[in-house]
Amino acid sequence: MSALCFQLRQSPPQRLDCSPLTPERLRGLGLADITRLPLQTTRAAVAVGDLFTVTAGDPANIVIAGGSPRLDDIGAGMTMGSITVEGSVGIRAGAGMRGGRLSVTGEAGPYAASGMLGGAIEIGGNAGDFLGAPGIGAGMAGGMVVVRGSAGARAGDRLRRGVIVIEGDSGDYPASRMIAGTLVICGRAGAAPGYLMRRGTLFAESAAPLPTFLATGAADHVFRALLARALAPASSRAASLVARSGLARFGGDVAGLGKGELLIATTV
Amino acid sequence: MPDMIVNGIRIDESFAEAFDMRATALVITADTEAWAETAAASLTGFATSIIACGVEAGIDARLAPPETPDGRPGVRVLLFAGSTGELQKQLQNRVGQCVLTSPGSACYAGLEGVETLKLGDALRYFADGFQISKRFGGRHFWRLPVMDGEFVCEGTTGLTKSAVGGGNLLLMGRSIAATRHAAETAVAAMAKIDGAIMPFPGGIVRSGSKVGSKYKGLIASTNHAYCPTLRGLTMSALEEDIASVLEIVIDGLTPEAVAAAMRAGLASAIALGPEVGVVRIGAGNYGGKLGKHHFHLKDLLP
C-alpha cells in the first residue's frame, strides 16, 4: 500500500499543531475524517483539508510534501510507523516520540526531539536550539537523532539516554546539564561544551574544554568500537569520529557531579 | 545384546536419557585470540557436572572478529544448570572472577531470550560508583574502569529453559588407546556443532556414574556395570572383548543440538572401524522414566 500523503498547497496562515498527523492517530480514519482534523493554534479554525491535499494511503507510512517552518509538533508522541517531511518543519519535531521513524529533509526548528523516548529522527538540514532538550518534563531519554547539518545552542541539554549525532557544528553549551547518554558532534562544538554535565559522553571533532574538565587517560577502544558499529548505519561520519584513535579524554564537569566525559579529536 | 552392526561396530539398541536444563550463553572477547581463549577456559573451568560444580559449561565456538560485537577475536561459551537461581549465581561468580579479571576482556550476551539473567547489571557495583551505563543500538552495556582500561559488559544475557543436559555416548574398545582415540575423534567432530558442549575434560568422561551408592550421602557412584575390571565379579554390561569404556556427555541449548552432536560423534567413531577405534557403542539411561528426552542410537546412525 502506498503512503498516506499530505501535499501542502499554501503557506499556513498561522502556526499549526501537527501532532494529530501520526500513524497511530490516523489509523482507522477515513479520508473525510482526516481532512476535518483541526490543526490551529489560534482562535481561527484551520482543518487539514484547508491547507493540504490528502491522498489516501497506508497511515503507517505518512508523507508530508512541502514543508514550512510553521508546521509544529510534527511526529510528536508518535510510537510506530514512519513520517517523512519533504521540506522544513517548525518547533518540537518528534517531541516525546516513543517509536517509529521521522525524517525531515529540510530544517527543523528549536526543541526537536525534546523529551524523546524512543525511535529514530533524521533531520536533513540544520536543527534549531535545544535539540533533544527538555520541552515539557525531562530531556531526551531514548532513541536516536541524526542531524545532517548543524545544531543551535544547548543541544542535548539534560539528555538522559539515547544518542544524538550532529554531523555539522553545534552552537554553544552542547550537552549542558547532561544526565547521561551520548552526543556526537562531527564538527566544531560551540563554547562551554558539557557545561555542568553530570554523566554521559560528548564526542567532538574540535572543542575547547572548560577549566572544570580534567584530562584523564585515553578512552578505551572497546566501548568506542561498539558505539561506532551502532552508529555506522545511520552516520558514517559519526562512526569514523567515534572509532578514531587518539581522542583526548576529559572528565567533568567537576563544578558539578563530574562523572561525564568529553572525547575530542582536536582540542582548541 | 548388540542389535545393529554398522561398519563392523556393534550398536546397542539403546538410548541416551536427557533432562531439561536452564542455560545461557556468553560471548567473551579480548585483544587476542589467546586471551579470549584464556578467559573462556578460566570461566568454564571446574564446570564438568552439576553434581559438584554448580554448572556444566564449555566452549561452544571460536568467533572471528567480524562475528563479535566489538570486532575483536571472541569465544562463545555455554553454561547449564538445574535451576535459574543456581545459573545466576554461577554466572555472576564466574564472570566476576574469571572474565572481569582477564586482561583486555569484554563480555556480551550470547543468547537472546525473553527471560534474562543479570550480567553487567550485577557486576557493575565493582566499579564503586564509577560505572558508566550506555544504551544504544537496542543493547545496554556497562563500562567499568579497571586497571588496564575498561571492562565492557552487557547488562543482561538471555536465559533458555528448554536446554537439554545429559545426551551421551558410551564408546567401548579393545584397548585403552583405541578407545581414547575413538573418543578424541568423536569429540573433535562434535565440537563443530553449534549450541552444544561436552563439559568433561577434553569432552570425555572415564568415570561414568550410576545414581546412588552403598554409602549414605553419596548421590552418585561408579557405573560398575561398565567397569572392565569388575567383569565377572558383578552384573556386567561388557563382553569379553571390551577392555575400556569412555563416555562423552553432551549438553545442548536445544534437543536438536544434542541430537546433531550425537549424530556427528557416532558418524566419526563408526568411520574409524573396529580395528582402529571401538568395537561397540552404547548410550546411558535410567530406564526412560527420569528424563524427558530420549535420544535413540538407531535414529542417529550415519
Side-chain angles (χ1 to χ4, degrees):
Chain A
M1 202 170 172
S2 61
L4 173 59
C5 186
F6 297 82
Q7 174 74 52
L8 187 66
R9 289 195 305 268
Q10 68 202 64
S11 182
Q14 56 169 300
R15 301 199 75 86
L16 302 180
D17 173 6
C18 297
S19 60
L21 308 183
T22 59
E24 55 284 312
R25 291 178 72 172
L26 295 181
R27 189 167 44 200
L29 296 187
L31 208 51
D33 300 324
I34 293 173
T35 53
R36 280 197 297 270
L37 286 172
L39 298 178
Q40 73 273 5
T41 55
T42 68
R43 280 178 294 180
V46 175
V48 168
D50 299 336
L51 292 173
F52 294 96
T53 305
V54 186
T55 312
D58 181 6
N61 187 3
I62 295 170
V63 172
I64 298 171
S68 160
R70 284 184 157 180
L71 303 183
D72 295 342
D73 295 292
I74 288 273
M78 73 185 279
T79 60
M80 46 82 72
S82 78
I83 300 177
T84 304
V85 182
E86 294 166 357
S88 295
V89 297
I91 64 172
R92 292 193 300 267
M97 186 169 157
R98 291 174 174 273
R101 180 172 182 81
L102 170 63
S103 302
V104 176
T105 63
E107 318 266 312
Y111 289 99
S114 78
M116 180 179 179
L117 296 167
I121 299 179
E122 180 180 1
I123 296 163
N126 300 322
D129 294 344
F130 290 99
L131 171 69
I136 305 159
M140 174 172 160
M144 182 156 179
V145 178
V146 177
V147 177
R148 303 290 175 204
S150 294
R154 304 286 291 269
D157 180 52
R158 294 199 70 193
L159 178 68
R160 179 172 207 112
R161 208 178 292 117
V163 181
I164 299 177
V165 170
I166 300 165
E167 292 202 332
D169 303 332
S170 86
D172 294 342
Y173 303 103
S176 57
R177 308 188 296 167
M178 184 193 255
I179 297 165
T182 305
L183 173 60
V184 182
I185 302 166
C186 303
R188 187 183 52 77
Y195 180 62
L196 286 180
M197 77 193 286
R198 293 172 58 78
R199 294 185 174 84
T201 307
L202 169 61
F203 286 90
E205 164 57 43
S206 78
L210 291 166
T212 50
F213 281 83
L214 310 176
T216 70
D220 198 79
H221 59 288
V222 175
F223 155 64
R224 292 188 294 106
L226 289 170
L227 182 61
R229 282 192 169 199
L231 290 175
S235 171
S236 56
R237 286 194 67 185
S240 72
L241 170 63
V242 166
R244 198 184 306 175
S245 58
L247 297 176
R249 183 173 185 270
F250 298 84
D253 183 339
V254 294
L257 183 68
K259 289 185 175 175
E261 59 183 349
L262 307 183
L263 293 150
I264 303 171
T266 311
T267 308
V268 290
Chain B
M1 187 157 41
D3 295 283
M4 296 157 279
I5 293 178
V6 183
N7 195 24
I9 296 170
R10 314 197 294 274
I11 308 292
D12 291 3
E13 171 78 63
S14 184
F15 60 92
E17 185 172 352
F19 302 86
D20 281 333
M21 291 187 92
R22 309 292 159 95
T24 187
L26 302 175
V27 171
I28 297 165
T29 65
D31 292 329
T32 63
E33 277 175 42
W35 276 106
E37 189 84 17
T38 299
S42 181
L43 174 92
T44 58
F46 185 57
T48 55
S49 166
I50 56 168
I51 292 173
C53 306
V55 283
E56 297 175 8
I59 291 174
D60 181 33
R62 275 82 184 172
L63 305 176
E67 300 172 284
T68 64
D70 58 23
R72 302 188 300 165
V75 174
R76 184 172 191 243
V77 299
L78 309 183
L79 297 97
F80 297 80
S83 71
T84 305
E86 185 65 25
L87 190 57
Q88 175 67 67
K89 181 183 138 197
Q90 291 285 336
L91 184 69
Q92 196 170 323
N93 286 347
R94 285 167 183 267
V95 175
Q97 299 304 311
C98 305
V99 181
L100 165 65
T101 55
S102 179
S105 69
C107 188
Y108 307 100
L111 188 69
E112 285 184 23
V114 182
E115 291 180 81
T116 57
L117 295 168
K118 286 181 181 179
L119 198 60
D121 283 359
L123 296 172
R124 61 177 152 146
Y125 299 107
F126 177 75
D128 202 23
F130 296 103
Q131 64 269 35
I132 298 172
S133 169
K134 283 288 164 195
R135 200 185 287 268
F136 50 76
R139 298 175 82 165
H140 182 206
F141 304 100
W142 285 98
R143 297 164 57 194
L144 279 57
V146 286
M147 286 171 21
D148 77 343
E150 265 180 6
F151 174 56
V152 175
C153 189
E154 194 147 6
T156 59
T157 183
L159 163 74
T160 174
K161 291 182 174 175
S162 51
V164 176
N168 66 80
L169 295 172
L170 289 163
L171 304 177
M172 298 169 254
R174 289 191 188 119
S175 72
I176 290 172
T179 311
R180 193 177 60 234
H181 176 58
E184 287 167 354
T185 307
V187 166
M190 297 162 84
K192 295 194 178 98
I193 305 296
D194 279 348
I197 55 157
M198 285 65 72
F200 282 94
I204 304 169
V205 206
R206 70 96 170 264
S207 61
S209 56
K210 66 175 181 287
V211 177
S213 159
K214 68 177 280 189
Y215 301 108
K216 277 185 200 166
L218 270 187
I219 56 171
S221 61
T222 193
N223 192 357
H224 61 258
Y226 284 86
C227 293
T229 57
L230 296 179
R231 186 174 54 220
L233 298 175
T234 64
M235 286 286 287
S236 182
L238 306 179
E239 299 90 341
E240 287 194 353
D241 62 341
I242 292 167
S244 173
V245 181
L246 291 174
E247 183 176 356
I248 300 172
V249 173
I250 306 111
D251 294 335
L253 291 177
T254 59
E256 293 73 28
V258 173
M262 286 179 66
R263 189 176 283 120
L266 275 170
S268 60
I270 288 169
L272 291 175
E275 303 306 322
V276 183
V278 292
V279 294
R280 183 181 153 201
I281 299 176
N285 62 64
Y286 311 94
K289 287 179 185 162
L290 294 177
K292 186 171 134 189
H293 304 279
H294 299 169
F295 298 97
H296 289 268
L297 295 182
K298 64 176 163 54
D299 299 335
L300 301 170
L301 290 172

